[in-house]
């Protein structure tokens, strides 16, 4: 069985981000970029499934600008067998990425798709779900544990939900999105980084896949959240009610 | 056709018993007397090998992979990358290929590079003459050059001792990143995120390469689920380009007595603390350069500030304090925050925002402190040796040139069989030597105080220009210069206002610094009792003040007694503690690769 893992190149989690002076977005020039942490977890899970003998190949996919190749190389260094890069400069959104991935699924025919639950730059938490919808495949999102049964061709997924843990049984092929507690991703070792240079990364454009990237949303402005104002200490209940009524106007 | 030397990947199988067993690939693990332990530097509290150490990794180190290169370079900074680029140029010119590998402890090239920086392009012109057409981030020429003496409320313009015509205001972190791209285009292999934790020796005590740290070791020394062995990067030649007070470089200097060999003096240092601000458009003058002396520092403390206007409304501002300061209550970080409140400085920063913060030590020893930079199997380049021109306050051009000269020496070693010692000859015949010799008497003159120092510097600058027949000596080593706390009174520093001045936590957040928290502390105490017995009682815990990252804190324990707490995760890799600790009890070792600050515009 082949597993396909989608990985995204995002601003590194340790970087203090700031909004561009023209308010069109976040400053990404000269800023360190890395693989989205949830995508690392997704890749790690795929590698463990392959190492346990339940899968034969792990393919890493990334959609984005030319530098995504660096992210794919990290994925290859972690252990993915080959990479696919769909090059697109700017203006991606979850639905477009899901459509691209659907086209790749039709070409590659994987038995399992693993994605990170969300990217740390836009926090959308949409791509995995939309992809499952487009493919009409079952989905197990926010996975904190994944167990495959190859014979019965099902996957048991523990999902982290608000009320606790929900366990679902999915027929394969399926889409799984990973949550933080699923695993600890491995380090890419130096020898593996060196070996990864010779692994293949296939390039596509969205046109090759007959996908049109368009967005129905337009970003008007990006601003920092307002600075938290200092609180006020009130001296009596009456003063509190007065403030709530006349200043905050909530009662 | 060039002769391609292939890399051999092999697994070394030395059995690490405590006997004098010599492994098949020729080196004996336990011969070295300089505590360069065969067991990789990350892991556990330093204990002599014969006591077994706290946790035993000895049996595991033999399964490290070994990868061979012609030249291994530690540090992807300006010096290391200049060496790599020059090597590849020579390979192309002479049709003789060499494999070059650069390891870098930072998460990406440039992440650990911090500098003022007013850049003299002399070495860049020699290394990459076409840099102007290749989008090098060197594009803000110096437009004005001011020099002020500050008192608490006023600023007095002094004649400017610098000549920055033809120089540029840059971000060295950006330039280094650009150089990294150029190096990779030439075929240099650069591996950020890998920390060189130890030097590898053969049975004749020659350096044969470096070992990267094991990764995935938890705080107590045990292996985590993600544990990975480090690797051995073997090089026919190893160049150490770790910057000021490099951890491996210091071990090498001491092991081979490299300063004694040429009767060099000890190295002296300063700590630079820097912020990059984005200021109001109408206050911004690209290329404006300002240096100040005087307030907030007193006449016994050597140091000063810098303020350089880059492009895009960004300015670099910082305070540099020599680490031979005497008052143990001095807090360089707080002095910097105080400095920004000066009326002349404040007016520039008001309305602006801080983008990044960082700190790094720099060499001030100059000519007198240059060690013999060659050791069996390699050489020291850049600030690891120490080529900073103190009166010019520039070290990048000489660091780059030294990298280029080391590359030329290395090339002749590997292609013609000469000895690496020709590097020393190349250095002494180069403009580095001439320049540093001329600049040698400025800094030591300040041993006599600020005014005598300025007077002697004035004479040197206008009259003697380095031609005096004698060389002034440095004072005591920095760590010995600290007075006992009882001779001074604590300094009251103003609280951070959150607009111009900030507390350390806020600043640290802006340095993008991070380390995997579950790893052994990389700051080692040679004797764990000394902090409370000596540092605290005699010197009032100076490390809790000079560290610009609040790594060291004295906190009361359950019994109410003050104990040293090491917040290693905050570390900015500046090396101030390694330099300034009075009993030299703190040893900075390299943590797991990929950690540390994330500078991008510093």
């Amino acid at each position: 069985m082949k597993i396909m893992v989608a990985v995204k190149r995002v601003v590194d989690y340790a970087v203090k981000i700031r909004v561009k002076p023209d308010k069109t977005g976040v400053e990404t020039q000269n800023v360190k970029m890395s693989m989205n942490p949830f995508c690392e977890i997704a890749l790690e899970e795929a590698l463990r499934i392959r190492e346990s003998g339940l899968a034969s190949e792990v393919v890493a996919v990334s959609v984005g600008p030319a530098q995504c190749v660096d992210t794919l190389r990290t994925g290859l260094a972690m252990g993915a067998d080959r990479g696919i890069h769909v090059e697109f400069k700017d203006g991606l959104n979850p639905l477009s990425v899901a459509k691209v991935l659907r086209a790749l699924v039709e070409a590659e025919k994987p038995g399992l798709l693993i994605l990170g639950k969300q990217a740390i730059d836009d926090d959308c938490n949409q791509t995995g779900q939309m992809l499952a919808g487009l493919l009409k495949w079952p989905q197990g999102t926010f996975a904190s544990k994944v167990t495959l049964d190859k014979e019965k061709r099902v996957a048991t997924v523990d999902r982290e939900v608000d009320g606790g843990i929900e366990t679902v049984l999915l027929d394969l092929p399926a889409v799984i999105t990973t949550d933080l507690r699923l695993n600890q991703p491995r380090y890419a070792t130096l020898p593996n980084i060196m070996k990864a240079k010779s692994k293949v990364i296939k390039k596509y454009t969205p046109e090759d896949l007959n996908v049109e990237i368009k967005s129905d949303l337009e970003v008007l402005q990006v601003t920092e959240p307002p600075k938290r104002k200092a609180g006020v200490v009130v001296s009596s209940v009456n003063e509190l009610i007065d403030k709530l009524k006349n200043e905050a106007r909530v009662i | 056709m060039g002769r391609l030397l292939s890399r051999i990947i092999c697994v070394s199988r030395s059995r690490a018993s405590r006997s004098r067993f010599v492994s098949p690939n020729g080196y004996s693990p336990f011969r070295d007397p300089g505590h360069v332990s065969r067991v990789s530097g990350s892991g556990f509290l330093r204990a002599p090998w014969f006591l077994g150490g706290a946790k035993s990794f000895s049996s595991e180190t033999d399964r490290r992979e070994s990868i061979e290169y012609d030249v291994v370079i530690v540090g992807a900074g300006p010096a290391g990358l200049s060496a790599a680029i020059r090597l590849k140029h020579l390979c192309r010119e002479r049709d003789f290929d060499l494999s070059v590998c650069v390891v870098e402890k930072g998460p990406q090239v440039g992440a650990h590079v911090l500098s003022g920086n007013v850049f003299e392009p002399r070495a860049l012109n020699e290394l990459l003459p076409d840099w102007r057409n290749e989008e090098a981030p060197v594009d803000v020429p110096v437009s004005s050059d001011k020099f002020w003496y500050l008192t608490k409320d006023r600023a007095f313009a002094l004649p400017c001792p610098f000549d920055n015509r033809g120089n540029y205001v840059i971000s060295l972190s950006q330039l280094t990143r650009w150089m990294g791209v150029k190096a990779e285009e030439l075929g240099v292999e650069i591996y950020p995120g890998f920390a060189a934790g130890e030097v590898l020796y053969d049975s004749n005590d020659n350096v044969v390469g470096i070992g990267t740290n094991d990764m995935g070791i938890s705080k107590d020394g045990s292996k985590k689920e993600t544990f990975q062995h480090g690797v051995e990067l073997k090089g026919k030649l190893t160049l150490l380009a770790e910057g000021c007070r490099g951890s491996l470089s210091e071990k090498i200097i001491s092991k081979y007595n490299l300063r004694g060999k040429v009767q060099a003096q000890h190295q002296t240092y300063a700590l630079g603390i820097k912020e990059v601000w984005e200021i109001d458009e109408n206050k911004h003058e690209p290329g404006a350069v300002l240096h100040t002396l005087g307030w907030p520092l007193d006449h016994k403390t050597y140091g000063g500030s810098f303020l350089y206007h880059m492009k895009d409304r960004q300015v670099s501002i910082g305070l540099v304090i020599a680490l031979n300061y005497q008052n143990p209550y001095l807090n360089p970080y707080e002095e910097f925050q105080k400095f920004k409140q000066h009326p002349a400085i404040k007016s520039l920063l008001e309305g602006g925002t801080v983008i990044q913060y960082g700190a790094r030590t720099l060499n001030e020893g100059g000519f007198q402190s240059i060690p013999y930079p060659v050791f069996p199997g390699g050489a020291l380049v850049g600030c690891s040796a120490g080529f900073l021109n103190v009166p010019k306050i520039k070290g990048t051009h000489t660091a780059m040139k030294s990298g280029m000269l080391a590359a030329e020496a290395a090339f002749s070693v590997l292609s013609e069989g000469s000895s690496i010692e020709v590097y020393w000859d190349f250095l002494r015949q180069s403009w580095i030597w001439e320049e540093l010799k001329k600049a040698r008497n400025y800094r030591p003159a300040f041993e006599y105080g600020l005014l005598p120092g300025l007077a002697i510097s004035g004479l040197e600058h206008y009259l003697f220009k380095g031609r005096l027949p004698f060389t002034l000596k440095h004072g005591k080593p920095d760590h010995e210069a600290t007075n006992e706390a009882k001779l001074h009174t604590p300094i009251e520093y103003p609280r951070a206002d959150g607009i111009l001045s900030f507390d350390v936590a806020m600043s640290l957040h802006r340095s993008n610094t991070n380390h995997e928290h579950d790893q052994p502390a990389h700051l080692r105490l040679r004797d764990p009792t000394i902090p409370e017995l000596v540092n605290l009682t005699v010197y009032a815990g100076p490390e809790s003040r000079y560290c610009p990252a609040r790594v060291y804190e004295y906190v009361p324990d359950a019994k109410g007694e003050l104990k040293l707490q090491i917040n290693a995760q905050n570390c900015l890799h500046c090396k101030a503690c390694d330099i300034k600790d009075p009993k030299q009890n703190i040893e900075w070792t390299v943590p797991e690769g990929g950690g540390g600050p994330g500078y991008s515009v510093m």
Side-chain angles (χ1 to χ4, degrees), chain B residues 225-265:
Chain B
E225 181 188 39
T226 48
F227 176 79
Q228 294 282 1
H229 277 299
V231 295
E232 297 184 353
L233 288 172
K234 297 259 184 77
K236 297 196 177 115
L237 282 173
T238 305
L239 299 180
L240 298 181
E242 298 172 290
C244 174
R245 197 83 171 187
S247 43
L248 297 184
S249 307
E250 290 300 306
K251 291 212 165 84
I252 292 283
I253 290 174
S254 123
K255 178 184 171 81
Y256 295 104
N257 191 23
L258 297 181
R259 291 216 156 86
K261 273 207 168 94
V262 288
Q263 289 91 45
Q265 278 210 281

Side-chain angles (χ1 to χ4, degrees), chain A residues 13 16 30 187 189 194 197, chain B residues 69 191 512 514 592 600:
Chain A
Y13 76 91
K16 180 179 193 294
N30 285 320
Y187 291 106
T189 63
M194 294 172 180
K197 288 193 202 161
Chain B
Y69 286 90
Y191 297 108
N512 299 327
N514 188 49
E592 204 174 83
S600 58

